[in-house]
Amino acid sequence: MAEIKYHKHYLPLSRPELVERLKAALKPARFEHVLRVEQTALTLAKANHVDLEAASVAALCHDYAKQRPDEDFVRVIKANHLAPELLNYGNAIWHG
Ligand SMILES: [Fe+2]
C-alpha cells in the first residue's frame, strides 16, 4: 500500500518525521508492528470511508508509550490529577 501524505495537522510532523521518531523510540520488533498496524488501519479506513490521515496517525502512535517505564505513567497520573484508580492498573492499560 502506498504511503499517505499528512495534510490535516493532527500533529506537527510529516509522516516520515513521525516514522523516524517512532523508529528511534521503539524496539525494532515494536516499530515493525506499528507499521503493520498502520497498513491494516489504512485498509479498514478506506473500506469504511474513514479519514486516512487520522487512521495512520492513530495506528502509528498506538504503542508509542508502551515501552515507557511505569514510573513515567505514575508521575503523569499524579501530576494531572487523573482518577487514582488508574494506579491499580499497569502498562497494558496505561500505554493506551
Ligand atoms: Fe500494538
Side-chain angles (χ1 to χ4, degrees), residues 48-73:
N48 293 285
H49 311 289
V50 171
D51 181 69
L52 297 180
E53 183 174 337
S56 170
V57 170
L60 289 173
C61 294
H62 87 276
D63 275 348
Y64 186 73
K66 196 158 188 170
Q67 295 172 194
R68 299 293 294 262
D70 287 356
E71 304 80 54
D72 287 3
F73 293 100

Side-chain angles (χ1 to χ4, degrees), residues 35-90:
L35 293 178
R36 290 191 304 272
V37 169
E38 181 199 28
Q39 293 308 306
T40 300
L42 290 172
T43 298
L44 291 170
K46 283 179 184 171
N48 293 285
H49 311 289
V50 171
D51 181 69
L52 297 180
E53 183 174 337
S56 170
V57 170
L60 289 173
C61 294
H62 87 276
D63 275 348
Y64 186 73
K66 196 158 188 170
Q67 295 172 194
R68 299 293 294 262
D70 287 356
E71 304 80 54
D72 287 3
F73 293 100
V74 170
R75 186 173 53 251
V76 168
I77 290 167
K78 290 179 177 176
N80 291 287
H81 309 289
L82 301 179
E85 298 81 35
L86 286 170
L87 296 171
N88 298 330
Y89 297 91

